[in-house]
Amino acid sequence: MKIFLLSAIGVWLFASSAWAISHSVDDKKMTISYVVYPQAEGYVALIKDIYTELGFKVTMLSTPSTRGLILLNEGEVDADVVRVRRTIEQYPNAVLVEPALKIGKLVLLCRKDVTCEASVLHSKNEVLLSSDAFEPYLTELKVSARIVKPQGTVNAIDMLKAKRADYAFFLIDGQIDFAQEFNMVDIQEISVFHVIHKKHAAILPLIQQKIIEKLPGFNAQFEKNSLSKQ
């Protein structure tokens, strides 16, 4: 009887250990959303490297701007690559990860053959291409121009080039210079951050440490890319 009991306990412990290992492996998966736009590639590579080094099997998922944050807030994805602080604050289950990945600037892009000054934001006769990410800034700046939201920032740039619109809001982070194609007006500085679902708050310090370690190399690569395009 004692032998049978010990054997049963042994089988139970083995099964429990196997379940725990399997459960641990499942927990080491991360699905991370991101928005496709001209500067996205560098951020995607950075964040994927961070989670891979932390032992996660990473799946990257491209989504429309608002859809990515909705999925994050609902827990359908585990993190989002990079977002503007003001946008993150609108989602209660999203946790902003310090430090900022980059400090960029919100600019008004203008086609070369039109007036380019901040006053056009307050003209009801003008059309401004924008996105949901900039909604808090549109309110803050009391923009009265007619807002059109194309699907993705790349489309906004294409629309300007095709003369389907004259103006667009855009986030410049130092990697891309539009000086040859468009005029621009600086509106204000904007910091961008990685963001995770609050269910992963326990690993927040690990993510922060990795970001701190990698930011110097990340910024150096950004600077190199910027210089190569001049």
Side-chain angles (χ1 to χ4, degrees):
M1 180 65 180
K2 183 181 292 186
I3 293 174
F4 174 79
L5 182 60
L6 289 173
S7 297
I9 292 173
V11 170
W12 179 81
L13 287 173
F14 176 79
S16 298
S17 298
W19 178 88
I21 291 170
S22 174
H23 187 68
S24 175
V25 170
D26 289 342
D27 284 348
K28 298 292 280 187
K29 295 179 181 178
M30 292 289 285
T31 300
I32 305 173
S33 59
Y34 68 97
V35 178
V36 176
Y37 68 106
Q39 299 108 307
E41 185 177 340
Y43 294 110
V44 170
L46 170 69
I47 297 303
K48 186 174 183 179
D49 284 348
I50 285 173
Y51 284 98
T52 300
E53 290 179 12
L54 289 174
F56 290 92
K57 181 178 179 180
V58 180
T59 299
M60 306 303 297
L61 177 68
S62 65
T63 67
S65 179
T66 303
R67 180 62 179 162
L69 285 174
I70 291 173
L71 290 175
L72 176 67
N73 196 57
E74 294 176 349
E76 296 298 318
V77 300
D78 300 289
D80 191 274
V81 169
V82 60
R83 294 285 177 166
V84 175
R85 179 193 288 271
R86 295 281 295 277
T87 306
I88 298 169
E89 292 171 350
Q90 300 175 54
Y91 295 87
N93 293 326
V95 177
L96 179 148
V97 181
E98 297 274 8
L101 298 181
K102 202 75 179 172
I103 298 176
K105 56 186 178 182
L106 177 63
V107 302
L108 173 67
L109 290 182
C110 318
R111 285 188 27 241
K112 290 281 190 177
D113 56 348
V114 299
T115 300
C116 194
E117 54 188 40
S119 62
V120 302
L121 298 175
H122 307 293
S123 172
K124 294 181 180 180
N125 297 322
E126 303 296 349
V127 175
L128 175 67
L129 303 178
S130 187
S131 73
D132 291 329
F134 301 135
E135 195 67 38
Y137 301 96
L138 295 174
T139 301
E140 178 183 304
L141 294 167
K142 298 180 179 178
V143 173
S144 52
R146 184 164 66 89
I147 306 301
V148 173
K149 298 179 181 178
Q151 291 298 309
T153 310
V154 174
N155 287 342
I157 299 303
D158 290 342
M159 288 176 70
L160 288 182
K161 290 179 178 179
K163 298 186 177 182
R164 294 171 57 193
D166 293 334
Y167 303 101
F169 262 171
F170 200 84
L171 177 63
I172 301 289
D173 61 10
Q175 187 179 15
I176 290 182
D177 182 5
F178 288 109
Q180 300 302 315
E181 299 178 272
F182 307 110
N183 293 325
M184 68 180 74
V185 177
D186 292 355
I187 302 300
Q188 68 181 79
E189 283 193 348
I190 294 182
S191 296
V192 296
F193 298 83
H194 180 47
V195 56
I196 62 174
H197 190 277
K198 67 180 183 182
K199 65 185 177 183
H200 296 298
I203 62 170
L204 179 59
L206 298 177
I207 301 168
Q208 289 175 312
Q209 184 57 42
K210 281 291 184 182
I211 289 175
I212 291 169
E213 291 172 3
K214 289 182 173 292
L215 271 182
F218 176 71
N219 288 327
Q221 186 62 47
F222 253 66
E223 184 67 23
K224 181 179 178 181
N225 290 344
S226 297
L227 291 174
S228 68
K229 294 174 182 179
Q230 291 180 358

